[in-house]
Amino acid sequence: MKKINVGLLGFGTVGTGVAKILINNKDILHARLGVDLNLKYIADIDTKTDRGIQLEPGILINDAARVIDDPEIDIIVEMIGGQGAAKEFILKAIDKGKHVVTANKALLASQGAEIVKAADKKGVELGYEASVGGCMPIIKSVRESLAGNKINSMTGILNGTCNYILSKITDDGSSFEDALAQAQAKGFAEADPTLDIEGFDTAHKLAVLNALAYGMEINLNDIYIEGISKITPLDIAFAWEFGYKVKLLAIGKYNGNSVEARVHPTMISLDNPLSNVNGSLNAVTISADATGDMMLYGHGAGMMPTGSAVVGDIADIARNIVSGSKNRIPILSYKPDAVKKIPVMPVDEIFTNYYFRFAAADRPGVLSKIAGILGKFNISISSVHQKGREIQGSVPIVMLTHTAKEADVKKALEEIQNLDVVTDKPVLIRIEE
């Protein structure tokens, strides 16, 4: 075999990065694989825009079906995104016996079970390293390097947009709106940033990671999701005073009979390695029984970092083609008959520590009223700051708690909010020690 033909669907930012690596590093890839990776076709509706890459005539076309139907194409790379045409093209490629590589985390999180089942039935490979964490080899690590481990938990910063915004607020004192505008200006955030800042993008990635780590069916619907749009510079400043930073975390924990799966702003200690992951960078910490704690760190998005992860999948599939190996590694890490339906623990059932901020009238006895209600619901206070300065006519009272149950916390905050001395809705941020 002299070459393996690749068909690329989608010539946007990441698709361009994939093409650049396949063309510019062709000799390196040949030296490592023993065959040429030949980019035979690129299909995109826009065949005119200059992407800064020189292509041979006839490579760039506007007909995806022609790429999928070509019997010489061995690997289809889907870089279109979304859940409509992308799913259709992936399933057609699989049906024709072609291996597929994608970075489409939204599609995998919501409809991945169907795609994986189709690939298993047809005996083809599905590569998706770039769907989580950009260039961080988190999927390869879980599927391969940690195959002998029982994974207990994963905690990750998996969205560069949110991390950039929180870093700007923390380090520069920017408002949320200004930090978001800067992220958009730098290309880290979309014009409509909802998927990022409200936590949905992070949840897509957590759904995929949970399936790999715990041998469970992909479950996006039951993940608790809370974004960063309500986080204020005031709370970030108070967090710093207590020795914490605020990060948007994806948290997956295996509890034996269920899995905690939640995405929300979280306070973490300044000595936690994740607290030093700033800007648009991503990181994931994994706790496993044999390895203990480990962390992966790197660029979670961008043309070349994400393109690198895609080409890594292409190279893995190429090696399997050359060696005649088939389904050497299960697509979701576990063999299909070993994948279980493990329930996701309702967020009301979790136990963690909490940060509360109350806006209260500056009167005697306010603190004792609030503390009394917390005690009524078995919530123990570990630290209290009552600031003397007024903010919009109210004094902020800030509390940290010992471990408490989420359901109890919600009941207590609802009762506290109804006190006549409390002037605004209480603020809650969970703490992971």
Side-chain angles (χ1 to χ4, degrees), residues 96 115 119 164 196 224 229 234-235 252 271 293 297 310 313 322 355 369 401 432:
K96 290 184 176 293
I115 293 169
Y164 179 86
D196 291 321
Y224 176 80
S229 58
L234 179 63
D235 294 309
D271 60 8
D293 296 336
Y297 169 91
V310 172
D313 276 342
V322 170
Y355 160 98
K369 286 184 178 181
T401 77
E432 286 290 316

Side-chain angles (χ1 to χ4, degrees), residues 74-249:
D74 302 289
I75 303 171
I76 292 290
V77 181
E78 182 274 307
M79 294 287 112
I80 297 169
Q83 299 182 45
K87 178 185 176 183
E88 177 188 344
F89 292 151
I90 287 173
L91 290 176
K92 282 184 177 178
I94 289 171
D95 187 58
K96 290 184 176 293
K98 300 183 188 301
H99 307 288
V100 172
V101 176
T102 181
N104 197 331
K105 67 266 185 181
L107 178 60
L108 291 171
S110 60
Q111 302 179 66
E114 180 183 352
I115 293 169
V116 170
K117 184 177 180 180
D120 280 331
K121 183 178 179 180
K122 203 68 179 181
V124 298
E125 304 281 350
L126 176 66
Y128 53 98
E129 183 68 61
S131 66
V132 182
C135 66
M136 292 190 303
I138 177 63
I139 289 172
K140 182 180 284 289
S141 296
V142 174
R143 291 174 73 204
E144 300 180 43
S145 301
L146 299 177
N149 283 255
K150 175 187 174 185
I151 296 176
N152 300 312
S153 65
M154 301 174 294
T155 305
I157 296 170
L158 296 176
N159 185 274
T161 300
C162 290
N163 204 41
Y164 179 86
I165 290 170
L166 293 173
S167 296
K168 295 298 288 185
I169 296 173
T170 303
D171 299 336
D172 300 344
S174 302
S175 67
F176 178 88
E177 292 74 19
D178 287 345
L180 173 57
Q182 292 178 62
Q184 289 171 322
K186 289 182 175 290
F188 297 144
E190 302 289 341
D192 179 0
T194 304
L195 277 176
D196 291 321
I197 66 172
E198 297 303 340
F200 299 113
D201 175 79
T202 300
H204 292 151
K205 298 167 184 176
L206 179 60
V208 173
L209 287 182
N210 280 343
L212 290 170
Y214 308 126
M216 63 186 291
E217 294 178 357
I218 296 174
N219 184 343
L220 174 63
N221 295 333
D222 292 336
I223 294 177
Y224 176 80
I225 306 171
E226 184 181 316
I228 66 168
S229 58
K230 296 178 182 177
I231 295 296
T232 69
L234 179 63
D235 294 309
I236 285 176
F238 281 139
W240 184 267
E241 290 185 24
F242 283 110
Y244 294 100
K245 275 189 179 179
V246 178
K247 298 290 185 181
L248 182 74
L249 293 187

Side-chain angles (χ1 to χ4, degrees), residues 116 120 330-331 333-340:
V116 170
D120 280 331
I331 294 173
S333 185
Y334 287 73
K335 286 291 189 179
D337 59 0
V339 175
K340 302 174 182 176

Side-chain angles (χ1 to χ4, degrees), residues 143-425:
R143 291 174 73 204
E144 300 180 43
S145 301
L146 299 177
N149 283 255
K150 175 187 174 185
I151 296 176
N152 300 312
S153 65
M154 301 174 294
T155 305
I157 296 170
L158 296 176
N159 185 274
T161 300
C162 290
N163 204 41
Y164 179 86
I165 290 170
L166 293 173
S167 296
K168 295 298 288 185
I169 296 173
T170 303
D171 299 336
D172 300 344
S174 302
S175 67
F176 178 88
E177 292 74 19
D178 287 345
L180 173 57
Q182 292 178 62
Q184 289 171 322
K186 289 182 175 290
F188 297 144
E190 302 289 341
D192 179 0
T194 304
L195 277 176
D196 291 321
I197 66 172
E198 297 303 340
F200 299 113
D201 175 79
T202 300
H204 292 151
K205 298 167 184 176
L206 179 60
V208 173
L209 287 182
N210 280 343
L212 290 170
Y214 308 126
M216 63 186 291
E217 294 178 357
I218 296 174
N219 184 343
L220 174 63
N221 295 333
D222 292 336
I223 294 177
Y224 176 80
I225 306 171
E226 184 181 316
I228 66 168
S229 58
K230 296 178 182 177
I231 295 296
T232 69
L234 179 63
D235 294 309
I236 285 176
F238 281 139
W240 184 267
E241 290 185 24
F242 283 110
Y244 294 100
K245 275 189 179 179
V246 178
K247 298 290 185 181
L248 182 74
L249 293 187
I251 299 169
K253 297 181 181 180
Y254 184 58
N255 297 322
N257 297 317
S258 64
V259 170
E260 285 187 37
R262 44 193 170 100
V263 173
H264 51 70
T266 312
M267 287 187 179
I268 54 175
S269 171
L270 295 177
D271 60 8
N272 185 322
L274 289 175
S275 73
N276 296 313
V277 178
N278 297 315
S280 62
L281 291 165
N282 283 197
V284 180
T285 60
I286 302 172
S287 178
D289 62 344
T291 61
D293 296 336
M294 59 178 286
M295 185 170 99
L296 296 172
Y297 169 91
H299 291 283
M303 177 189 293
M304 301 310 286
T306 308
S308 171
V310 172
V311 173
D313 276 342
I314 296 171
D316 278 347
I317 292 172
R319 289 189 176 105
N320 289 341
I321 293 172
V322 170
S323 66
S325 177
K326 188 175 181 181
N327 300 116
R328 185 176 64 88
I329 301 169
I331 294 173
L332 287 178
S333 185
Y334 287 73
K335 286 291 189 179
D337 59 0
V339 175
K340 302 174 182 176
K341 191 167 187 174
I342 302 175
V344 171
M345 179 185 290
V347 71
D348 282 355
E349 298 299 314
I350 71 165
F351 285 81
T352 190
N353 296 0
Y354 294 86
Y355 160 98
F356 303 142
R357 177 170 58 83
F358 306 102
D362 190 10
R363 301 180 200 166
V366 171
L367 186 57
S368 63
K369 286 184 178 181
I370 293 173
I373 293 173
L374 293 175
K376 172 183 171 182
F377 289 96
N378 303 308
I379 301 165
S380 175
I381 301 168
S382 66
S383 185
V384 179
H385 282 199
Q386 185 170 3
K387 298 297 182 179
R389 65 183 186 274
E390 287 194 355
I391 299 174
Q392 296 180 342
S394 299
V395 174
I397 299 173
V398 179
M399 296 181 177
L400 302 187
T401 77
H402 294 292
T403 302
K405 188 176 182 179
E406 179 93 6
D408 293 335
V409 166
K410 288 180 177 177
K411 292 173 187 175
L413 294 188
E414 183 178 358
E415 192 165 320
I416 290 170
Q417 185 177 341
N418 291 328
L419 291 174
D420 59 358
V421 293
V422 173
T423 59
D424 202 354
K425 185 177 180 179

